[in-house]
Amino acid sequence: MSVYNEKIMLANGIEMPQLGLGVYKMTNPEETVEAITYAIKAGYRAIDTATVYENEKETGEAIRHSGLQREDLFITSKVWNTDQGYDQTLRAFETSLEKLGLDYLDLYLTHWPVKESYVETYRAIERLYDEKLIRATGVSNHHAHHLEKVLVKANTPPMVNQIEVHPRLTQEPLRTFCKEHNIAVTSWSPLARGGLLSEPTLQNIGNKYGKTAAQVIIRWHLQSDLIVIPKSVTPERISENINVADFELTLSDKHAIDALNLNERSGSNPEDF
Ligand code: NDP
């Protein structure tokens, strides 16, 4: 095992593990606690949950089982669409903290830019930051025009934007916008939900290094300065996905993967909210 443990520095100087575990669709409580516990043992130090995943309680349980110090883990959650608005977001955050059994989060995000409420939602996230209840602020699924509206109102600009990114949806213009505004980008559905794993370009590159297509994709995210949060409940895959520190894609491998882009989403379009 060659565990990847690099960190990315966010705009406020906080360090965030560049590779973490996504926990969307982990719905079986026992399986969820086991998968997260396994992942932490395997070396994961960041967990990406959300109110709507309905597993904040299990995430908290796994954190307590880990025996690690709280400050050794980086925990992200997100405010769901029906909880958006200033006061509602503050209340939703309280509930998330309670379910997780924590007294602060490392990062809290607006899950989707719900028209009419996403700017106020972010203002509440800023307040949580001012009150030191979160170590970093952010948003998810925000396009440049959403970010522009948030940035006009914000005293503390968002430090992270979590968006769908994988080799079929490389999002280069939005990533450039984020870079110009010092907003780190996290890739969700980084493996296109498993849909890209038999892609011949990725398999051929993997064969050169004795690595799987999943590991090649994860390496592509990491070498593109993206934060990446692959999800798996399967122990072998959880290990496989973090076992990526011992090889490096060449520039030509990276370009070949960039060229797989078809601007093809596997999830929803943020414009529909
Ligand atoms: P991923 O791209 O991470 O793919 C997950 C799927 O791939 C699962 O079916 C998993 O199966 C399978 N898989 C994982 N690793 C491997 C492997 N090495 N080999 C073969 N199959 C593998 O999709 P997600 O949609 O889960 O995205 C990751 C995370 O991003 C989420 O869990 C969530 O935290 C976040 N997210 C955020 C969103 C947002 O709106 N902000 C939206 C969607 C996701 P199995 O588990 O059965 O092993």
Side-chain angles (χ1 to χ4, degrees), residues 21-23 26 35-36 39 44 230-238 241:
L21 182 76
V23 301
M26 288 194 195
I36 301 174
Y44 287 76
K231 173 264 178 187
S232 178
V233 288
T234 316
E236 305 77 59
R237 292 173 175 175
I238 293 173
N241 293 347

Side-chain angles (χ1 to χ4, degrees), residues 196-215:
L196 264 178
L197 302 178
S198 48
E199 212 295 321
T201 306
L202 299 169
Q203 290 195 332
N204 290 337
I205 294 173
N207 290 340
K208 284 200 298 185
Y209 304 105
K211 292 285 177 179
T212 64
Q215 290 171 317

Side-chain angles (χ1 to χ4, degrees), residues 21-26 48-49 53 78 109 111-112 140-141 162-163 187-195 197 212 214-215 218 229-234 236-238 240-241 266:
L21 182 76
V23 301
Y24 179 41
K25 292 199 175 153
M26 288 194 195
D48 182 84
T49 184
Y53 304 166
K78 319 183 188 85
L109 310 175
H111 206 142
W112 290 91
S140 178
N141 299 305
Q162 183 180 123
I163 55 175
S187 306
W188 65 251
S189 291
L191 304 173
R193 303 203 157 133
L197 302 178
T212 64
Q215 290 171 317
I218 290 168
I229 47 171
K231 173 264 178 187
S232 178
V233 288
T234 316
E236 305 77 59
R237 292 173 175 175
I238 293 173
E240 176 184 329
N241 293 347
S266 65

Side-chain angles (χ1 to χ4, degrees), residues 33 36-37 40 56-70 73 75 97-103:
V33 176
I36 301 174
T37 303
I40 295 173
E56 290 174 309
K57 185 168 157 280
E58 289 74 21
T59 301
E61 229 172 289
I63 293 169
R64 283 187 295 284
H65 280 174
S66 74
L68 291 182
Q69 299 291 316
R70 170 67 184 88
L73 291 165
I75 310 300
L97 267 194
E98 230 166 80
K99 286 195 177 149
L100 282 155
L102 298 176
D103 50 17

